[in-house]
Amino acid sequence: MNIFKGILYNVIAQIFTFLQLQGQLKYDFLKNNIWFTAMMGVPLSLLYILSVRHLTAAYNGQMWPSRLIGFGTGVIIFTIMSYLMFKEPLSLKTLTCLGLGVCIILIQILWK
């Protein structure tokens, strides 16, 4: 259950982090309201804290699994969001990195 919660909090945080950082390139509101955009970091930090809390609990206090799952999740979310919002092409290099991100997550979850 902790793994599921940790990944869920991380996915939500990664989506909103993408909107916070890259959203200004698409939405004038985020571009023109820099303090609002910056303040999005407070609830995002709380989501990341909850993610790390649950993932480290799932792995008996080990920090590396939470970091690697967070990294892999970030690669996947960034790829999906940049494709959906900006129609960025999925080159062989991007698809390879996406595959590596998935592999990192699977190794952390399945390798006991």
Side-chain angles (χ1 to χ4, degrees):
M1 188 64 158
N2 274 321
I3 291 174
F4 175 75
K5 284 182 180 180
I7 291 174
L8 179 64
Y9 285 130
N10 194 274
V11 166
I12 294 167
Q14 293 286 352
I15 290 169
F16 284 102
T17 298
F18 183 92
L19 292 171
Q20 179 194 32
L21 300 176
Q22 279 71 36
Q24 64 181 319
L25 303 174
K26 186 170 179 91
Y27 302 112
D28 286 336
F29 177 81
L30 295 175
K31 181 179 180 180
N32 297 330
N33 294 284
I34 195 166
W35 284 106
F36 172 82
T37 305
M39 293 306 291
M40 289 172 65
V42 174
L44 288 173
S45 294
L46 294 172
L47 287 170
Y48 284 119
I49 289 168
L50 290 171
S51 174
V52 169
R53 182 176 294 166
H54 286 287
L55 288 172
T56 54
Y59 289 96
N60 300 317
Q62 293 180 1
M63 294 182 292
W64 271 111
S66 93
R67 178 65 189 113
L68 293 170
I69 290 171
F71 171 78
T73 304
V75 168
I76 294 166
I77 296 300
F78 191 93
T79 302
I80 293 168
M81 296 291 289
S82 62
Y83 178 76
L84 293 176
M85 284 183 61
F86 297 101
K87 305 299 182 220
E88 289 227 4
L90 297 176
S91 67
L92 182 58
K93 181 171 76 171
T94 301
L95 289 171
T96 301
C97 291
L98 180 61
L100 290 170
V102 170
C103 286
I104 288 170
I105 292 171
L106 290 175
I107 287 168
Q108 291 303 313
I109 292 173
L110 301 175
W111 189 334
K112 300 295 177 185

